[in-house]
Amino acid sequence: MIDTRSDAELVAAARSGSDAAFSRLVERHQAALRGFLRPLMGGGWAEADDLAQETLVIAWQRLSELKRAEGFRTWLMGIAWRKAFSRIRSTRRGSARDLAWLEGQGTPAGVQPEDALSLDRALSGLSPPERACVLLCLAQDWSHAEAASALNLPLGTVKSHVTRGRARLLSVLGGARDAG
């Protein structure tokens, strides 16, 4: 059965506690919401869909704040825009901080920029715990015990992560397995 109620009628029902009415509003507007957010977020479907979900949760939580029930769609898109704009600004600030930090670091002596990019790609292929162990023990020259303490991991796990991570990095970067 097709629900022919207007947005204003569905908003009134949802405000009275009808989850089904709000679900119908979601069904009615989610495609347009995602269609707005996907290109806005540079075509990132996953991020746009996450923002759409966040927008719908906020709309549900703040439905009582909607002044004109017939303006639900406009209000929903306004929430989406504010969430997206905030995310875009945050991402830009984070990227600017990262770039400034990277520029301050410089490329280590003897490492070509393309090699640094290859290393970054190789590191991204490791699991987060392996990556953390490799970065601390190999890149920062921490002892296995120091890394185990900092990461709250057993010493044997840190040693295994470093060994496996190092082997994976060497295979990706084309180095010898017994080097170093």
Side-chain angles (χ1 to χ4, degrees):
M1 179 173 150
I2 296 175
D3 192 337
T4 58
R5 292 180 287 177
S6 69
D7 282 358
E9 293 168 320
L10 290 169
V11 166
R15 283 179 173 165
S16 296
S18 172
D19 292 343
F22 191 78
S23 292
R24 180 62 190 118
L25 286 166
V26 169
E27 290 170 13
R28 189 175 284 175
H29 297 290
Q30 70 180 340
L33 180 62
R34 285 181 168 87
F36 169 66
L37 288 169
R38 285 177 179 157
L40 187 62
M41 299 310 294
W45 284 47
E47 186 174 18
D49 287 349
D50 287 347
L51 279 171
Q53 287 300 109
E54 290 176 32
T55 298
L56 292 167
V57 167
I58 290 170
W60 174 247
Q61 292 169 339
R62 297 184 184 166
L63 195 57
S64 64
E65 298 173 18
L66 176 59
K67 290 181 180 25
R68 292 181 33 252
E70 65 277 1
F72 178 80
R73 183 181 67 164
T74 304
W75 179 70
L76 185 68
M77 294 300 178
I79 294 170
W81 163 246
R82 287 185 294 281
K83 292 290 298 171
F85 187 64
S86 177
R87 178 87 50 98
I88 291 166
R89 277 194 337 244
S90 176
T91 300
R92 283 185 183 154
R93 282 192 305 264
S95 294
R97 278 191 308 268
D98 291 348
L99 182 60
W101 181 82
L102 285 172
E103 287 173 349
Q105 296 302 302
T107 304
V111 176
Q112 297 300 315
E114 58 274 4
D115 293 337
L117 289 174
S118 296
L119 179 59
D120 286 344
R121 279 194 297 275
L123 281 168
S124 70
L126 300 175
S127 71
E130 286 175 330
R131 189 171 34 237
C133 291
V134 165
L135 289 171
L136 290 177
C137 294
L138 299 181
Q140 299 290 326
D141 203 28
W142 286 32
S143 72
H144 290 134
E146 289 172 319
S149 178
L151 300 173
N152 196 27
L153 292 172
L155 180 59
T157 301
V158 170
K159 289 179 179 181
S160 296
H161 284 337
V162 170
T163 300
R164 280 195 306 270
R166 183 176 182 276
R168 286 189 187 142
L169 290 176
L170 288 172
S171 74
V172 168
L173 297 173
R177 285 194 165 271
D178 61 349

